[in-house]
Amino acid sequence: MWTADDVKETLPVRLADAHKGTFGTALLAVGSPFMPGAAILAGMACLRSGAGKLEMGADESVFPHVSAHLQEATYVPEFSEKIMRGDLDLSTYRVLTCGSGREPGPETEKIIDRFLRTDLPVVLDAGALSKRTYAVRNAPVILTPHPGEFERISGIELEGSKEARIQAAEEMAQTFGVTIVLKGEETVISFPDGETRINPTGNSALAKGGTGDVLTGMISGMLCCHENWKHAVLNAVYLHGACADEWIKTKSSHTMLASEITELLPEVWKAHE
C-alpha cells in the first residue's frame, strides 16, 4: 500500500524563493470540439497540483470554453499543424500529456509519436490509449487506463480478483516498459522496474464521467513539482481518491462531480503536508 505516511514524507516542500519557472510548464494536448470539458477538468487539476504554468494544445474551438473557466491557462496556436510539421519545440516543457477528451486517430497518434521522441515524462489517457509498442527512453511513460481500456491495449483479460489485477498490471508494465495506473477499486500502480503499489483511497463517488480527466491532470501537475517522478504518480493517485473520501464524510457518494475533486484538493493536500 501507498499510505498517508508515505504521502506526508514525499510531498514536495515549496521553497520561499520559488517562482513559476521552478515548477515548469505542462503541455496538455486534451479536449476536442465535442468534449471541451475534458480540457477544463484536466487543466484545472494540473494547475492545482503544482505546475508552474499550463499550455493547452487543442483545437482552437476549445479555447473559449477553457478560458471561461481557467483564466490561468495559455494556448499553443496552430498546435496540430506545428506538431505535424515538427515546428514545436517540446524541450521547453516539464511534462507532456495527451488523451483526455481527444478522439483516437492519425492526428492523436502523431502527437503521441512526437511526445515519445522527447526525454520528458509523457502521460497518456483516454483517446491516447491504443495498442502500440514503446521504445526505451530516458523518461517515464505513464498510462492511466480503466479496466476496459487496459484489456483493449494490453490484450490481457482481467479476472475479478485483486491479485489477478496486480499480476496483469505488472505484466504489461514490464513487457512494454511503461507505468500502468490501472484505475478502479484499490487502483494498482505498477512501474516497469517491477515495483507495484496499491492505492487505498477512493470510493464509488469517483464512478462518474470526468474523474479520470482530473486524475490525468493531477499526475501531470505533480510531475512538475516533484523531484521523484514515482512519488508524483503515487501521490496524485492517493490525493485524487482522498478527495472523494473527504466528500462522502458529509455528502452522498451519488452527488460528487469530477470538478469538485479539484475544489477539494487544496484542503486535502494541506492535511497531508
Side-chain angles (χ1 to χ4, degrees):
M1 287 286 180
W2 186 252
T3 67
D5 287 340
D6 293 319
V7 177
K8 289 180 180 181
E9 290 174 5
T10 58
L11 279 173
V13 175
R14 198 173 183 91
L15 300 178
D17 61 351
H19 52 84
K20 64 184 179 183
T22 305
F23 307 108
T25 302
L27 174 61
L28 270 57
V30 294
S32 66
F34 301 103
M35 287 183 280
I40 298 167
L41 292 169
M44 182 67 79
C46 180
L47 281 173
R48 282 282 194 204
S49 299
K53 185 179 175 183
L54 170 64
E55 289 192 15
M56 306 292 286
D59 187 288
E60 293 190 10
S61 66
V62 174
F63 295 168
H65 298 281
V66 177
S67 62
H69 298 271
L70 189 57
Q71 294 91 340
E72 298 84 355
T74 58
Y75 309 94
V76 181
E78 299 181 340
F79 171 74
S80 295
E81 293 83 354
K82 289 179 178 177
I83 284 288
M84 294 298 177
R85 296 193 304 262
D87 290 346
L88 185 61
D89 182 6
L90 297 175
S91 67
T92 60
Y93 299 101
R94 187 70 57 87
V95 61
L96 305 171
T97 297
C98 182
S100 300
R102 286 196 65 93
E103 293 289 338
E107 183 178 301
T108 296
E109 289 300 314
K110 181 64 175 179
I111 294 169
I112 296 165
D113 179 68
R114 287 276 290 113
F115 282 7
L116 293 174
R117 292 177 184 272
T118 69
D119 289 326
L120 298 169
V122 173
V123 184
L124 302 178
D125 181 39
L129 295 174
S130 300
K131 276 191 174 183
R132 67 172 69 87
T133 57
Y134 295 87
V136 177
R137 59 198 306 272
N138 296 323
V141 179
I142 298 131
L143 311 183
T144 62
H146 59 58
E149 291 168 333
F150 178 88
E151 291 187 340
R152 175 173 56 80
I153 65 176
S154 69
I156 303 170
E157 186 173 346
L158 289 175
E159 299 178 14
S161 69
K162 180 170 74 173
E163 292 75 15
R165 292 175 70 245
I166 294 171
Q167 183 177 355
E170 289 179 337
E171 180 181 343
M172 185 177 183
Q174 294 174 51
T175 299
F176 290 88
V178 298
T179 295
I180 298 296
V181 178
L182 179 53
K183 295 181 287 195
E185 185 180 8
E186 294 195 325
T187 291
V188 178
I189 304 97
S190 189
F191 299 100
D193 62 4
E195 180 184 359
T196 294
R197 298 282 190 155
I198 310 301
N199 181 63
T201 63
N203 56 72
S204 61
L206 293 169
K208 193 165 290 185
T211 59
D213 302 325
V214 172
L215 178 59
T216 296
M218 288 181 65
I219 292 172
S220 304
M222 293 214 179
L223 284 166
C224 288
C225 66
H226 282 68
E227 291 187 5
N228 184 306
W229 69 268
K230 284 186 175 182
H231 294 165
V233 176
L234 292 164
N235 288 339
V237 175
Y238 185 97
L239 292 178
H240 181 262
C243 288
D245 292 341
E246 183 67 23
W247 177 270
I248 65 170
K249 288 179 181 178
T250 57
K251 304 176 186 70
S252 169
S253 59
H254 289 282
T255 62
M256 189 180 75
L257 302 179
S259 58
E260 287 163 325
I261 300 170
T262 307
E263 293 174 8
L264 285 165
L265 181 59
E267 62 185 82
V268 172
W269 187 317
K270 183 65 177 178
H272 288 82
E273 288 182 338

